[in-house]
Amino acid sequence: MPPRSLTILMPRTAEQRYSCHSCAGCCRDFTVQLRAEDVVRLNEQQWEQRLGRSPIVHFRGRDWLRQREDGACIFLQENGLCRIHDEFGLENKPLACQMFPFALAPTEKGIQVGLSYACPSMINNRGVELSRHADDVRRMARLVPELRQGQPRPVMLNARLEAAVDEEQAMIRAFERLLGRVDLSMGKRLDGAAWLTSMLRQAKLENVRGKRLDELLDLLVESFSEEIDAAPLQLPTSRQMKVLRQIVFAHVEDVKIGEVQGHGIGGRAITQFRRHHAFGRGRGAVPPVGPQWPALLRFEMVDGVQPATDEAQIRPIDFLLLRYVRSRIMGGRTWGAGYYGWPIITGLEALWMMLAATGWLARLHAGADGRSALTMADVQAALLRTDRAAGRAPWLGSRGEKLRLAWLAEAAGVGRLLHTMRLTEESVEADADDGAGESPDVASD
Ligand code: SF4
């Protein structure tokens, strides 16, 4: 089969901007897997002779960039810049380093570009319009031939039903419309998004295919506000809160190769079990959450922290949330090739739970600072942690994770937890130009 065309689909989130500001956050935080071509290039650059040891670590059958004791990349210099970049230029860095914070996934219509919010510039919306990166992304996509070979994996509506391209687009449009209800608070829109997902889980979708799915989605989007007013959400149960903390753990857990090699796989498994158990118990000291987080965190710090109530905090948080959710849904990072090959409905449930985990973590951040209401800084710190794992950490794509989500969804836990962990209190964006109603992606050939 000949390779498919190199159509680059940038998420059409007109409000999102990005340029790299060389903060070195990704160089300090990520474990970089190397492609065979990266290994060849690094060997040609003769680093082993110059550094006195190989910059490549072979671990569990794969090649990785070596990290320093503190977990940062071995090529990160004192001035915060990359030594490979300095000496050989951007295009001679490992592909994963060039690509971040973009993530590419093959789809029927082209190569979908997803955005990672584990990058401060993406979170802070700093830089140029996304379309300005299309040529560079195309250059990188050319370096990954497997993106264009073979048939992309089909997108599923749920575990049993394959989604037609039009049905997937209808889903995207429905969530776009719902999120674009600027007459409603962001919290209510997200409650509505979780409610819509739960309605779709319960519906017999085999009976509403094609145009009928469109009609069903229209009906649900039109009625969601009245429906959720008519049936206020209950508080989550203690078991549901425990599962939420375990989901937080799954998002902040970080496997550093040096740590595994130092403790051995058995030793690592024991410390991992201890951390998992601590999150489940939810009392006492919180295991480490990430670099630049306070060391002495306690679970009790989360208690009593409220959503942001100050308008000066609400507006930027809501705008960040809107950009983030739209980029996940419209940038192909919520289901299909961009999210562990998961069906649309399961992927949406994972997204809502990831946001609930972000709300929990933001409360921990605020509590550690002695504040009783969330601020933008808390939300930024939390999202920087949670989004680095979503769609990337293998354990978040596991069968166990799917079962956990299914259990929560069946017991109405997803909506309850998302609402309880909401980031802002009721407020209506009167004049935000969030581009509601635009088509989902911009094709650039
Ligand atoms: S985290 Fe973002 S802004 Fe910072 S160096 Fe990496 S890509 Fe650039």
Side-chain angles (χ1 to χ4, degrees):
M1 185 180 289
R4 294 190 311 280
S5 85
L6 204 59
T7 302
I8 300 293
L9 303 166
M10 281 298 216
R12 187 166 176 158
T13 45
E15 66 279 16
Q16 181 64 55
R17 306 175 82 82
Y18 160 76
S19 299
C20 177
H21 289 79
S22 303
C23 72
C26 49
C27 317
R28 288 200 179 86
D29 204 19
F30 280 90
T31 302
V32 176
Q33 190 180 337
L34 299 169
R35 295 171 61 83
E37 313 84 84
D38 297 325
V39 172
V40 169
R41 213 178 302 117
L42 286 168
N43 286 333
E44 284 170 358
Q45 292 164 2
Q46 302 194 328
W47 290 110
E48 185 160 357
Q49 294 86 321
R50 298 164 68 197
L51 298 172
R53 59 179 176 164
S54 172
I56 301 161
V57 180
H58 196 70
F59 180 68
R60 293 193 182 163
R62 305 223 165 113
D63 291 314
W64 309 81
L65 264 187
R66 185 181 292 282
Q67 293 170 319
R68 302 187 313 217
E69 286 274 295
D70 63 359
C73 173
I74 194 169
F75 289 109
L76 180 61
Q77 305 174 111
E78 288 287 306
N79 62 4
L81 299 177
C82 167
R83 191 166 167 194
I84 308 177
H85 194 141
D86 267 1
E87 295 191 24
F88 295 96
L90 167 79
E91 295 177 17
N92 285 304
K93 283 161 64 167
L95 188 62
C97 307
Q98 295 184 49
M99 196 92 82
F100 187 80
F102 297 112
L104 308 185
T107 71
E108 290 277 351
K109 291 167 67 194
I111 294 168
Q112 180 67 59
V113 183
L115 312 176
S116 171
Y117 282 64
C119 161
S121 291
M122 200 66 85
I123 285 211
N124 290 310
N125 211 22
R126 291 179 67 205
V128 300
E129 289 168 14
L130 293 177
S131 58
R132 300 262 300 273
H133 295 284
D135 287 344
D136 204 32
V137 170
R138 185 177 298 102
R139 174 188 67 76
M140 293 185 276
R142 279 204 184 93
L143 303 174
V144 190
E146 58 268 32
L147 283 173
R148 300 164 62 202
Q149 285 161 357
Q151 269 309 103
R153 211 162 143 170
V155 171
M156 306 294 288
L157 281 172
N158 56 24
R160 297 178 313 281
L161 302 172
E162 194 173 318
V165 172
D166 287 350
E167 290 175 329
E168 183 187 10
Q169 293 301 310
M171 287 281 193
I172 294 173
R173 277 196 308 276
F175 281 93
E176 256 302 87
R177 266 184 65 202
L178 190 154
L179 293 165
R181 283 285 304 270
V182 291
D183 56 315
L184 302 175
S185 71
M186 195 63 206
K188 186 156 188 183
R189 284 182 257 175
L190 288 175
D191 285 349
W195 175 83
L196 175 56
T197 310
S198 129
M199 289 294 107
L200 292 169
R201 170 177 271 273
Q202 293 168 44
K204 290 197 181 319
L205 292 182
E206 55 273 30
N207 298 334
V208 278
R209 304 305 305 267
K211 279 261 163 266
R212 294 192 65 199
L213 179 62
D214 251 334
E215 289 163 17
L216 173 67
L217 288 166
D218 276 351
L219 199 68
L220 292 172
V221 172
E222 268 159 34
S223 59
F224 84 89
S225 179
E226 294 78 38
E227 292 290 336
I228 58 179
D229 283 346
L233 287 162
Q234 293 175 18
L235 287 174
T237 63
S238 60
R239 177 90 199 278
Q240 289 170 344
M241 284 302 296
K242 176 177 176 176
V243 171
L244 171 65
R245 290 192 302 273
Q246 287 169 338
I247 291 174
V248 174
F249 165 76
H251 280 81
V252 298
E253 181 63 351
D254 192 12
V255 180
K256 297 281 185 203
I257 293 170
E259 194 190 335
V260 181
Q261 288 179 326
H263 292 94
I265 292 176
R268 161 83 197 176
I270 291 169
T271 56
Q272 192 171 41
F273 176 78
R274 284 205 184 109
R275 288 198 288 264
H276 180 260
H277 184 66
F279 270 94
R281 197 178 57 226
R283 289 193 309 276
V286 180
V289 163
Q292 286 154 34
W293 276 68
L296 299 173
L297 296 169
R298 297 188 66 77
F299 283 98
E300 295 74 17
M301 288 169 173
V302 172
D303 301 341
V305 177
Q306 302 298 317
T309 48
D310 174 358
E311 197 62 28
Q313 302 295 329
I314 290 174
R315 291 186 72 83
I317 294 173
D318 282 354
F319 185 46
L320 170 59
L321 271 176
L322 186 66
R323 281 187 283 124
Y324 179 73
V325 175
R326 292 180 76 188
S327 93
R328 282 283 303 265
I329 292 179
M330 296 158 68
R333 277 191 64 217
T334 300
W335 57 73
Y339 200 84
Y340 308 112
W342 280 16
I344 293 176
I345 292 169
T346 321
L348 286 164
E349 287 162 353
L351 172 58
W352 311 136
M353 284 314 303
M354 180 269 184
L355 283 184
T358 305
W360 189 94
L361 212 52
R363 282 164 172 78
L364 180 67
H365 193 267
D369 228 11
R371 272 177 280 103
S372 58
L374 295 178
T375 63
M376 178 68 168
D378 302 318
V379 178
Q380 287 173 319
L383 188 58
L384 271 170
R385 274 336 279 158
T386 49
D387 193 54
R388 70 190 289 290
R392 188 173 170 271
W395 51 89
L396 280 178
S398 68
R399 189 173 140 71
E401 196 62 29
K402 250 188 198 168
L403 289 173
R404 182 150 63 182
L405 281 172
W407 178 81
L408 274 177
E410 294 294 342
V414 174
R416 286 181 195 174
L417 288 165
L418 181 63
H419 181 76
T420 302
M421 289 294 135
R422 66 195 178 281
L423 296 169
T424 56
E425 208 47 276
E426 299 286 298
S427 162
V428 175
E429 274 180 64
D431 55 358
D433 175 16
D434 56 13
E438 291 172 338
S439 63
D441 18 58
V442 180
S444 159
D445 282 307

